[in-house]
């Protein structure tokens, strides 16, 4: 009976190519040819530049290159067995002993003058470094029967697999590369490869595993990174394509409507940036396809006004707009400020309300039953044109008469599912337009990778007259600065300003009092940390509020505290008092981080500032200097001047949010960038480094090409290999990319 041999492909089981060797890889879930080829070298050694043996360390798994200086077999003392030893030297002549207790086969290969790659675990033997029974391969030697694939080019070193030597991996990879032939289905289409001058997939694998020189190695890796960008962009392009397939109700500008009236009554002129984005959004809303736009802009750049104009346009068209805030504090604040900005326009049906006005309803998870019922009714009847709320808003029971626009504020706090649930609430068969606002500037590469399916609008300028924020780092070794801080706070209040004091933790109500003294902050004596807690005592909201109430400099001030564990009404009441000027100093956790807008607040003191990340500090600081007076931000840290973290200095040195976002990105791992902290998993980015300028270029190229491919062939019928690659994007990443 004739046996048909299936052609070897990337999904061929490893066992049918490499036989018993395959079992070495099962521990790493490597069972197919593709999985082995994707087991990428960790680094390379350059056989032309031999390893410096003085840099070896006992117990380390190494791969080294050297020259055999001397080799001999000798009989073990008293025994019949013999031992073979070869002395390998590096360029400077440092020695490494290769020892074989079963000499058979080695003396013929490890001859003086031979250049050898060796892999094994380094030991110390007498005065020497030693490798016992190393795997090795003679470079460029005759009768090349060792682990194949090693030539004069860089030698690939693989991540360690327990009990499997480097050379076994190299050998298996070599077998697979040979079995595979030159072409395999390539997710990057031929015409794209040609246009971008990219090698084919198999060539890339060969370059990565068995480069003939460093240029090939780089080319191979770049091609894999490019492919990754391409597959991600294709995913986003398809997402976009499918969301374009669902209709939305067009909400074109209406003459004589609320939007126009509101615009006319604004006490300021829109900045050029605001004007431009208002136009962009207006065009989007007029289309019968859902808007899908990300609005990013510095803290205080005036995003809310832009969003409000969009919401009013929808209301002018008989629809409703929902504004989602990440916290109750913010939702309440948006409700307050929108109501205030609209004035009579938000008092439809009330005495003194404008004829064609609307209502703004607030829906949060914690409001009283009666309030909630009233708000739900307004939402369901359509009486409220604007509904502001937290995610409670999207619970099942909320009925909206005609949801035309969803505005998501401070998007990074929102989960994907929550947004999706709301998007489903459009009128029959349509979806609402979506505008996502974020105050965390996103570097272009991240925007394209994470939000690539959205249009991005960026507000770079701040409204004119906005005062700069000055930031200083105050360290524990500057005791006078620390006490001066609180005097500055009192002076600020005396001059009519208000102050935020931010702590890294809430603490417990019964936390021990801070020692009475003339200061609070770094350098002061602190209570012993509770048992079992390590590191310095971090100041808590309760403690600090109490301490400031007794500190000579601040005890006359009106001090209040706000944090996430308070009931919503309490939080709300405190924020209202602060906004109304009835509180001078607000001691808070990061609940005030996003969006809180009290123009009279001019100073911020951040305690244990080293506990916060760059973007977070920048966000926090954005709470001050929002009015006509300049802002001051003091970053206190228990460290000394010398070891104050670099990021504190960075935050103190610039107020350019984009620059800070870039620094933040550099300091974080890619996983965090793509929101792994939100989803709790890894980002799945294997090759792309969003901070690498060359990769940024790849992303831009891949974006262009992938969108063109998807445009021409949305179902990817002509591109099965790409379709296959898309389906292999792991579920988690796909879910992540669907955000927005
Ligand atoms: P963001 O949400 O982008 O942080 P906001 O929309 O809250 O900023 O605006 C911050 C403050 O600036 C608000 O008090 C707002 O009324 C005010 N503002 C917005 N646009 C302008 C403008 N063009 N000129 C002056 N002030 C503005
Ligand atoms: Mg805002």
């Amino acid at each position: 009976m004739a046996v048909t041999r299936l052609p070897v492909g990337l999904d061929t089981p490893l066992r049918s190519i490499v036989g018993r060797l395959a079992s070495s890889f099962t521990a790493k879930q490597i069972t197919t040819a593709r999985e082995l080829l994707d087991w990428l070298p960790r680094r390379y050694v350059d056989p032309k530049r031999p390893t410096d043996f003085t840099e070896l360390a006992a117990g380390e798994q190494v791969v080294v290159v050297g020259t055999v200086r001397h080799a001999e077999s000798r009989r073990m003392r008293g025994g019949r067995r013999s031992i073979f030893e070869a002395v390998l030297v590096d360029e400077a002549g440092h020695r490494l002993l290769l020892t074989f207790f079963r000499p058979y086969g080695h003396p013929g290969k490890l001859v003086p003058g031979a250049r050898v790659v060796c892999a094994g675990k380094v030991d110390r033997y007498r005065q020497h470094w030693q490798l016992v029974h190393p795997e090795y391969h003679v470079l460029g030697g005759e009768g090349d029967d060792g682990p194949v694939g090693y030539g004069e080019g860089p030698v690939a070193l693989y991540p360690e697999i327990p009990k499997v030597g480097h050379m076994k991996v190299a050998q298996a990879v070599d077998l697979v590369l040979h079995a595979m032939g030159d072409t395999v289905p390539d997710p990057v289409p031929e015409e794209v490869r040609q246009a971008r001058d990219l090698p084919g997939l198999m060539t890339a694998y060969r370059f990565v595993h068995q480069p003939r020189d460093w240029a090939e190695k780089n080319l191979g890796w770049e091609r894999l990174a490019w492919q990754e960008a391409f597959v991600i962009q294709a995913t986003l392009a398809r997402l976009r394509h499918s969301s374009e397939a669902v209709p939305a109700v067009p909400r074109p500008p209406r003459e004589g409507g609320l939007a126009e009236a509101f615009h006319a009554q604004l006490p300021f002129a829109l900045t050029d940036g605001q004007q431009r984005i208002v136009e962009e959004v207006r065009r989007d809303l007029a289309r019968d396809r859902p808007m899908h736009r990300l609005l990013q802009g510095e803290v205080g750049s005036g995003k809310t006004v832009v969003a409000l104009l969009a919401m009013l346009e929808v209301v002018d068209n008989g629809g409703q707009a929902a504004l989602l805030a990440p916290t109750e504090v913010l939702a309440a604040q948006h409700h307050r400020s929108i109501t205030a900005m609209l004035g009579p326009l938000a008092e439809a049906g009330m005495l003194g309300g404008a004829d064609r006005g609307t209502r703004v309803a607030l829906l949060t998870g914690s409001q009283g039953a009666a309030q909630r019922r009233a708000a739900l009714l307004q939402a369901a009847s359509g009486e409220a044109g604007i509904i502001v709320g937290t995610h409670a808003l999207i619970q099942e029971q909320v009925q909206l008469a005609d949801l035309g626009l969803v505005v998501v504020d401070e998007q990074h706090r929102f989960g994907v599912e929550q947004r999706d649930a709301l998007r489903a609430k459009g009128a029959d068969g349509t979806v609402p337009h979506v505008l996502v606002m974020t105050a965390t500037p996103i570097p272009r590469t991240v925007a394209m990778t994470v939000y690539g399916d959205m249009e991005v609008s960026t507000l770079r300028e701040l409204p004119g007259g906005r005062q700069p924020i000055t930031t200083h780092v105050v360290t524990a070794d500057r005791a006078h600065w620390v006490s001066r801080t609180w005097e500055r706070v009192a002076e600020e209040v005396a001059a009519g300003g208000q102050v935020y004091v931010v702590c890294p933790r809430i603490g417990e109500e019964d936390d021990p009092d801070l020692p009475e003294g003339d200061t609070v902050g770094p350098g002061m004596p602190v209570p012993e940390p509770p048992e079992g807690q390590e590191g310095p005592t971090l100041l808590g909201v309760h403690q600090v509020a109490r301490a400031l109430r007794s500190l000579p400099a601040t005890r006359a001030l009106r001090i209040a505290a706000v944090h996430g564990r308070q009931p919503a009404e309490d939080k709300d009441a405190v924020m209202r008092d602060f906004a109304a000027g009835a509180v001078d100093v607000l001691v808070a956790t990061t609940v005030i981080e996003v969006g809180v807008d009290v123009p009279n607040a001019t100073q911020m003191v951040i305690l244990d500032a080293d506990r916060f990340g760059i973007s977070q500090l920048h966000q926090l600081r954005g709470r001050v200097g929002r009015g006509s007076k300049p802002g001051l931000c003091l970053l206190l840290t228990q460290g000394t001047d010398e070891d104050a973290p670099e990021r504190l200095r960075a935050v103190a040195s610039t107020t350019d949010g984009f620059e800070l976002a870039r620094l933040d990105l550099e300091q974080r791992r890619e996983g965090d960038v793509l929101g792994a902290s939100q989803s709790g998993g890894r980002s799945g980015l294997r090759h792309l480094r969003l901070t690498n300028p060359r990769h940024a270029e790849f992303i831009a190229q891949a974006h262009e090409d992938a969108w063109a491919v998807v445009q021409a062939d949305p179902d990817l019928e002509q591109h099965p290999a790409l379709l296959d690659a898309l389906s292999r994007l792991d579920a988690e990443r796909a879910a992540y990319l669907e955000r927005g």
Side-chain angles (χ1 to χ4, degrees), residues 335-461:
H335 179 250
R336 252 192 328 272
S337 68
I338 287 176
T339 310
M341 277 161 101
L342 288 176
L345 297 177
E347 294 169 2
M350 283 158 58
L351 208 57
D355 297 343
R356 48 190 159 60
T358 186
R359 300 292 287 264
V360 184
L362 174 67
L363 270 171
T364 62
S366 61
Q367 65 195 159
Q371 255 182 317
R372 185 173 174 73
R373 216 170 15 250
L376 283 171
L377 203 63
Q378 285 190 339
S381 67
E383 194 186 342
I386 297 177
I387 299 97
V388 182
T390 57
H391 61 266
L393 176 65
I394 55 177
Q395 281 167 358
E396 282 299 303
Q397 74 258 42
V398 181
Q399 293 292 324
L400 294 170
D402 179 12
L403 181 60
L405 169 67
V406 177
V407 178
V408 181
D409 191 15
E410 316 295 359
Q411 116 94 26
H412 57 295
R413 300 278 165 127
F414 259 98
V416 183
E417 316 75 29
Q418 294 167 345
R419 255 194 323 270
D420 283 354
L422 206 90
R423 287 195 70 196
K425 281 188 182 289
D428 317 281
T430 67
V431 291
H433 298 282
V434 175
L435 179 67
V436 175
M437 303 194 286
T438 173
T440 310
I442 302 166
R444 207 173 111 79
T445 48
V446 183
M448 279 183 120
T449 308
V450 183
Y451 307 100
D453 61 326
M454 304 180 93
E455 313 283 348
V456 179
S457 298
T458 304
L459 263 180
R460 279 185 175 274
E461 73 223 282

Side-chain angles (χ1 to χ4, degrees), residues 204-389:
Y205 277 133
R206 213 159 264 138
F207 284 0
V208 161
H209 290 284
Q210 301 179 348
R212 275 173 300 193
D213 52 41
W214 294 97
E216 280 194 355
K217 183 222 108 186
N218 291 337
L219 207 56
W221 280 89
E222 289 195 346
R223 144 77 209 217
L224 295 183
W226 205 97
Q227 174 175 330
E228 182 168 46
F230 184 73
V231 172
I232 290 174
Q233 292 302 327
T235 305
L236 293 168
R238 291 188 86 218
L239 267 175
R240 177 56 181 271
H241 199 270
S242 63
S243 75
E244 288 270 305
V246 186
V249 180
R251 315 278 181 173
R254 297 270 180 219
E255 249 176 69
L258 284 171
E260 209 178 271
F262 172 68
H263 199 159
Q265 78 178 37
L266 275 177
F268 45 74
L270 294 181
T271 63
D272 288 349
Q274 283 172 316
Q275 194 62 53
R276 176 175 43 84
I277 294 169
V278 164
E279 286 305 327
E280 285 170 355
V281 170
R282 205 168 263 165
R283 271 198 299 276
D284 288 353
L285 290 176
R287 296 179 62 221
D288 65 354
R289 300 290 130 179
M291 168 169 76
H292 215 46
R293 188 173 285 278
L294 175 73
L295 167 51
Q296 59 168 338
E298 284 281 357
V299 221
S301 57
K303 297 182 291 295
T304 315
V305 180
V306 172
L308 189 48
L309 279 165
M311 291 192 272
L312 291 173
E313 229 148 68
V314 169
V315 175
D316 284 337
N317 279 278
Q320 290 170 296
L323 172 58
L324 300 192
T327 64
E328 305 228 328
V329 167
L330 270 178
Q333 181 190 285
H334 271 309
H335 179 250
R336 252 192 328 272
S337 68
I338 287 176
T339 310
M341 277 161 101
L342 288 176
L345 297 177
E347 294 169 2
M350 283 158 58
L351 208 57
D355 297 343
R356 48 190 159 60
T358 186
R359 300 292 287 264
V360 184
L362 174 67
L363 270 171
T364 62
S366 61
Q367 65 195 159
Q371 255 182 317
R372 185 173 174 73
R373 216 170 15 250
L376 283 171
L377 203 63
Q378 285 190 339
S381 67
E383 194 186 342
I386 297 177
I387 299 97
V388 182

Side-chain angles (χ1 to χ4, degrees), residues 590-610:
T590 51
V591 289
I592 60 149
E593 179 186 345
V594 282
V596 170
D597 186 21
V598 179
N600 196 47
T602 43
Q603 208 178 99
M604 175 173 286
V605 178
I606 304 181
L607 294 164
D608 294 313
D610 44 299

Side-chain angles (χ1 to χ4, degrees), residues 347-693:
E347 294 169 2
M350 283 158 58
L351 208 57
D355 297 343
R356 48 190 159 60
T358 186
R359 300 292 287 264
V360 184
L362 174 67
L363 270 171
T364 62
S366 61
Q367 65 195 159
Q371 255 182 317
R372 185 173 174 73
R373 216 170 15 250
L376 283 171
L377 203 63
Q378 285 190 339
S381 67
E383 194 186 342
I386 297 177
I387 299 97
V388 182
T390 57
H391 61 266
L393 176 65
I394 55 177
Q395 281 167 358
E396 282 299 303
Q397 74 258 42
V398 181
Q399 293 292 324
L400 294 170
D402 179 12
L403 181 60
L405 169 67
V406 177
V407 178
V408 181
D409 191 15
E410 316 295 359
Q411 116 94 26
H412 57 295
R413 300 278 165 127
F414 259 98
V416 183
E417 316 75 29
Q418 294 167 345
R419 255 194 323 270
D420 283 354
L422 206 90
R423 287 195 70 196
K425 281 188 182 289
D428 317 281
T430 67
V431 291
H433 298 282
V434 175
L435 179 67
V436 175
M437 303 194 286
T438 173
T440 310
I442 302 166
R444 207 173 111 79
T445 48
V446 183
M448 279 183 120
T449 308
V450 183
Y451 307 100
D453 61 326
M454 304 180 93
E455 313 283 348
V456 179
S457 298
T458 304
L459 263 180
R460 279 185 175 274
E461 73 223 282
L462 297 182
R466 191 57 56 75
Q467 294 294 318
I469 302 169
T470 310
T471 305
H472 295 293
V473 180
V474 179
T475 51
D477 52 352
R478 300 276 175 90
H480 59 289
W481 267 83
V482 180
S483 29
R484 185 71 192 105
T485 297
W486 303 109
E487 288 165 19
R488 283 287 285 110
V489 166
E491 287 163 16
E492 195 73 21
V493 172
Q498 287 168 283
V499 181
Y500 295 102
V501 176
V502 182
C503 306
R505 55 188 279 271
I506 302 172
E508 300 302 328
E509 249 159 310
D510 57 359
D511 274 343
D513 280 334
L514 295 177
E516 267 188 53
D518 57 3
T519 196
V520 171
M524 72 177 189
V526 287
E528 284 290 300
E531 233 171 278
Q533 185 191 305
E534 304 217 342
T537 301
L538 297 182
L539 298 168
V541 168
H542 293 293
Q543 283 176 315
V544 169
R546 249 182 290 137
L548 294 181
R549 285 188 187 111
S550 65
L551 195 69
T554 52
R555 67 176 152 223
L557 308 179
R558 294 167 299 174
I559 297 167
V562 66
H563 57 76
R565 252 188 259 143
Q566 277 165 329
E569 308 95 83
D570 295 8
K571 255 189 298 196
D572 228 45
V574 175
M575 290 311 299
R576 237 189 336 262
D577 286 350
F578 189 66
V583 165
D584 301 317
V585 176
L586 185 62
V587 184
T589 54
T590 51
V591 289
I592 60 149
E593 179 186 345
V594 282
V596 170
D597 186 21
V598 179
N600 196 47
T602 43
Q603 208 178 99
M604 175 173 286
V605 178
I606 304 181
L607 294 164
D608 294 313
D610 44 299
R611 295 292 150 151
F612 303 94
I614 289 180
S615 293
Q616 209 174 12
L617 290 168
H618 183 58
Q619 283 286 315
L620 281 166
R621 160 173 83 170
R623 302 307 108 214
V624 299
R626 297 171 75 83
S628 54
K629 287 191 266 179
L632 175 67
C633 176
L634 299 171
L635 306 176
L636 274 59
T637 160
Q638 301 191 35
T640 61
D641 210 24
E642 231 113 86
D643 60 22
E646 200 182 323
R647 61 177 188 283
L648 294 189
R649 294 182 200 289
V651 171
S653 70
T654 178
T655 49
D656 181 342
F658 282 87
E659 171 61 14
L660 290 171
R662 198 185 56 74
L663 282 173
D664 205 16
L665 184 58
E666 264 170 21
Q667 294 201 350
R668 287 187 294 166
R669 305 238 319 278
E670 310 296 316
D672 302 331
V673 173
L674 295 194
S677 52
Q678 193 178 44
S679 66
R682 59 195 178 81
S683 73
L685 275 193
R686 290 192 55 154
H687 303 291
L688 287 171
R689 292 291 163 263
L690 299 174
T691 45
N692 177 332

